[in-house]
């Protein structure tokens, strides 16, 4: 890529698990420089180091450059923050309607928002983007800006972490007419904002319920596969998707066991070739956080494994294995993605890179 402009960014919700991940990913980012950190009123006025205390959950230490930054109040200081940065990443722990309102306040203050939250995922003119799969959805931002009455401000969101392994694997196969999908997800505890120290009961255990997760896992792929019509994104009406989402004693990395049937069944060789060749706009534009090879297929029967494979390509690639024919569906396979990297903060940073490269952050 040609040399990019430098952007000043804010992290709204900097003390939480995803906020911490944003901080570590942005520490040495070639385009984005963290100029403001914000959190709840409880943390506002403290240094980042004081506010997080012993809740720092990343393996990498807190970035030196951010330790002494004084936290803003995410809700009271919207205008101040909007005046200091080119855009914000948002990952806050609040009620949905409060998040919706807060993100709109930033957007209306002419500060674009790249959100990890679910509040706006089904606002029809808010793009929900997996950058390799539906980058064209960012074009709906023009209609959103008209609705909000803004010149620069807008909201763009990333999808839920649970779908970030199977949507990439299924997307390039849609040309064969996907009819039905069944996916069981085995989700890491960091998705619940937990560590083993904070959740010892999860050891030697599985919890068969994650609130709201199955609805998200069934509905969100259809928006990602939707089309822009009259300034809104209209979700695809197929395939039929059913899911079960379980919490498992894994620190990071969501695994999905997927079953799929097609209108025209491809051969196994065709599927493997399509996965190997699958590239998107992030790879073409060589965005800084884009994995070189988006889908890594393992021939070994016992892969992908969360512990071994979640960090492939900086946690931004998707790993797939065990593709084989099924007795009820056409095929089944297993896939894995890092839930706080590709599935959360990393996916947010990649989306921001796409938006910056396409001029939406100028
Ligand atoms: N909702 C998800 C968050 C992603 O990591 C979960 O609970 O795992």
């Amino acid at each position: 890529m040609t040399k990019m402009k430098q952007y000043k960014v804010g992290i709204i919700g900097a003390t939480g698990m995803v906020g911490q991940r944003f901080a570590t990913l942005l520490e040495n980012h070639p385009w984005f420089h963290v100029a403001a950190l914000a959190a709840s009123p409880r943390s506002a006025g403290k240094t980042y180091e004081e506010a997080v205390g012993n809740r720092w959950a990343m393996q990498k230490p807190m970035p030196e450059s951010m330790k002494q930054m004084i936290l803003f109040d995410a809700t009271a200081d919207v205008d101040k923050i909007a005046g200091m940065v080119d855009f914000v990443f948002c990952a806050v722990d609040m009620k949905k309607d409060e998040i919706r309102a807060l993100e709109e306040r930033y957007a209306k203050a002419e500060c674009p928002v790249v959100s990890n939250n679910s509040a706006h995922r089904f606002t029809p003119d808010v793009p929900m983007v997996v950058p390799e799969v539906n980058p064209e959805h960012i074009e709906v931002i023009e209609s959103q800006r008209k609705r909000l009455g803004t010149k620069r401000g807008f909201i763009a969101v990333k999808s839920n972490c649970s779908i970030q392994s199977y949507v990439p694997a299924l997307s390039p196969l849609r040309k064969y007419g996907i009819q039905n999908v069944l996916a069981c997800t085995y989700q890491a505890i960091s998705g619940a904002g937990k560590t083993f120290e904070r959740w010892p009961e999860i050891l030697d255990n599985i919890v068969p319920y994650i609130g709201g997760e199955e609805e998200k896992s069934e509905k969100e792929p259809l928006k990602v596969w939707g089309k822009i019509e009259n300034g809104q994104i209209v979700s695809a009406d197929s395939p039929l998707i059913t899911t079960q989402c379980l919490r498992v004693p894994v620190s990071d990395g969501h695994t999905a066991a997927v079953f799929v049937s097609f209108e025209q069944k491809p051969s196994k060789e065709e599927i493997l070739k399509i996965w190997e060749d699958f590239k998107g706009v992030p790879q073409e534009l060589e965005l800084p956080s884009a994995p070189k090879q988006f889908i890594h297929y393992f021939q070994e029967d016992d892969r992908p494994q969360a512990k071994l494979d979640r960090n492939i390509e900086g946690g931004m690639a998707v790993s797939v294995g065990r593709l084989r024919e099924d007795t009820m569906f056409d095929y089944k396979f297993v896939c894995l993605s890092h839930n706080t990297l590709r599935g959360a903060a990393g996916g947010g940073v990649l989306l921001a890179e796409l938006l910056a490269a396409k001029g939406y952050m100028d």
Side-chain angles (χ1 to χ4, degrees), residues 69-353:
M69 285 175 72
I70 304 292
L71 293 184
F72 289 100
D73 180 330
T75 45
D77 295 329
V78 172
D79 291 324
K80 210 181 282 174
I81 296 167
M84 292 173 64
V85 301
D86 294 304
F87 69 93
V88 293
F89 293 101
C90 188
V92 291
D93 187 11
M94 290 161 63
K95 291 200 192 104
K96 247 190 199 176
D97 52 345
E98 292 172 356
I99 298 177
R100 222 175 274 134
L102 180 69
E103 293 186 338
E104 284 208 5
R105 282 178 62 206
Y106 278 96
K108 286 185 174 163
E110 298 295 2
C111 179
V113 179
V114 176
S115 176
N116 187 66
N117 308 305
S118 64
H120 272 295
R121 287 191 192 145
F122 283 93
T123 305
D125 58 11
V126 170
M128 173 163 64
V129 184
V130 179
E132 284 85 350
V133 175
N134 60 334
E136 72 286 358
H137 281 194
I138 62 178
E139 288 165 23
V140 82
I141 286 170
E142 284 320 313
S143 326
Q144 190 197 136
R145 280 177 170 156
K146 278 192 197 123
R147 173 176 63 85
L148 295 173
T150 58
K151 285 203 168 65
R152 284 189 80 242
F154 64 86
I155 301 160
V157 301
K158 49 155 290 300
S159 67
N160 198 47
C161 51
S162 60
I163 73 165
Q164 307 257 356
S165 58
Y166 57 89
V167 163
L170 292 171
S171 294
L173 306 179
R174 291 186 72 227
K175 62 183 182 186
Y176 296 104
I178 299 178
Q179 280 178 320
N180 296 311
V181 174
L182 185 158
C184 292
T185 64
Y186 304 87
Q187 301 191 198
I189 61 171
S190 55
K194 303 278 200 226
T195 57
F196 290 121
E197 291 73 41
R198 280 192 255 151
W199 195 8
E201 301 79 13
I202 192 68
L203 289 167
D204 194 23
N205 202 1
I206 287 181
V207 179
Y209 174 71
I210 305 174
E213 203 71 353
E214 290 166 2
E215 293 83 340
K216 291 177 191 165
S217 305
E218 292 168 6
K219 232 176 121 191
E220 290 188 13
L222 299 175
K223 179 162 178 184
V224 171
W225 290 330
K227 281 201 183 82
I228 300 181
E229 282 175 25
N230 303 321
Q232 306 204 329
I233 294 162
V234 177
S235 293
D237 51 15
S238 65
L240 200 59
I241 305 175
T242 182
T243 64
Q244 288 208 69
C245 300
L246 314 180
R247 188 73 70 197
V248 296
V250 165
S251 58
D252 290 311
H254 288 357
T255 297
V258 183
F259 300 74
V260 57
S261 54
F262 297 95
E263 276 157 31
Q264 295 139 355
K265 183 178 172 183
S267 68
K268 185 174 168 187
E269 291 65 37
E270 281 172 321
I271 296 177
L272 292 178
K273 173 94 176 79
I274 284 169
W275 282 342
E276 192 184 336
D277 293 345
F278 185 18
K279 282 191 190 354
V281 173
Q283 286 70 32
E284 281 156 22
L285 295 180
E286 297 179 27
L287 298 178
S289 303
K292 299 238 165 342
Q293 176 71 35
F294 185 29
I295 295 180
H296 287 244
Y297 187 79
F298 284 92
Q299 298 292 345
E300 297 88 331
D301 278 339
D302 60 355
R303 305 284 284 277
Q305 290 181 24
K307 199 165 178 173
L308 298 181
D309 304 318
R310 61 190 167 210
N311 287 320
I312 290 180
E313 299 224 33
M316 291 300 286
V318 170
S319 304
V320 186
R322 304 213 64 215
L323 175 67
R324 60 219 193 275
E325 298 219 357
D326 182 53
T327 48
M328 290 179 70
F329 289 75
D330 288 331
Y331 289 101
K332 53 190 165 192
F333 57 89
V334 175
C335 44
L336 164 77
S337 77
H338 195 302
N339 56 302
T340 66
L341 288 166
R342 166 58 74 166
V349 173
L350 185 61
L351 170 55
E353 291 167 0

